[in-house]
Amino acid sequence: MSQPTARLVAALKGKTLSFVTAESCTGGQLAALLAADVRLGPHLERGFVVYSTEAKHEVLGVDPADAERRNAVNSEVAEAMAVGALAKSRADIAIGITGFCGPREADEEVGLVHLACVPRGGTPVLQECHFGDIGRQRVLDHAVAGALTLLIHAVSAPASHSMPDATVG
């Protein structure tokens, strides 16, 4: 078990919180990681994989104008994905992930990932990550680890669901 998953298991001890994932660039890797762990799987309420801009709009209600801007890799889209996933689930906490994992196309910044963690009734926490052009799989791994860290903060936050600002880069 990786260190972030072990920390999430510890943070969840005695809690019945559930998660919903809204993943683009990671293609369901976060949901798969949660489901694969016998201690985290029960906390996964559901997951959405919305890779295309059309899917983000059709499935999660992301504004098409936001989705078209920077090929749907921006903080507004990550937040809208999480908010939409929360609205379409019974989960307590949603996580949205969108990014450019490579290879480079046009003016994309390979390694740019936007994360959003939205607790039901709480304040969204947005994180912009600049992992660099370190290889597609490593960017994906870092994106999932960043999402796990946001979940740990959300689970560890007081009942008010306030979470610290998080930045990576």
Side-chain angles (χ1 to χ4, degrees):
M1 180 167 50
S2 72
Q3 186 176 8
T5 55
R7 289 178 34 226
L8 183 56
V9 166
L12 283 165
K13 187 171 182 162
K15 298 178 181 172
T16 59
L17 296 171
S18 61
F19 307 126
V20 59
T21 65
E23 301 179 69
S24 182
C25 63
T26 52
Q29 288 186 42
L30 176 60
L33 180 73
L34 296 171
D37 188 300
V38 69
R39 293 163 297 179
L40 294 175
H43 296 278
L44 178 62
E45 200 271 338
R46 70 184 73 185
F48 297 93
V49 175
V50 288
Y51 205 78
S52 71
T53 56
E54 294 82 10
K56 289 172 182 68
H57 172 68
E58 292 168 7
V59 176
L60 298 178
V62 174
D63 184 302
D66 287 337
E68 291 300 322
R69 191 167 45 80
R70 297 210 23 95
N71 294 321
V73 178
N74 58 66
S75 59
E76 291 83 5
V77 167
E79 182 176 5
M81 287 170 58
V83 168
L86 203 58
K88 293 182 180 268
S89 75
R90 293 180 181 92
D92 301 300
I93 302 168
I95 192 92
I97 307 170
T98 186
F100 296 125
C101 297
R104 175 181 294 289
E105 293 181 25
D107 65 344
E108 297 172 349
E109 177 190 337
V110 175
L112 173 62
V113 175
H114 287 273
L115 305 170
C117 187
V118 180
R120 191 172 296 282
T123 303
V125 172
L126 308 178
Q127 184 174 351
E128 181 176 311
C129 307
H130 299 271
F131 299 123
D133 193 353
I134 57 175
R136 187 174 182 83
Q137 190 57 55
R138 288 192 62 211
V139 171
L140 295 172
D141 292 344
H142 284 305
V144 169
L148 285 170
T149 299
L150 286 181
L151 287 174
I152 292 163
H153 286 298
V155 167
S156 302
S160 67
H161 294 296
S162 63
M163 294 188 293
D165 289 333
T167 56
V168 171

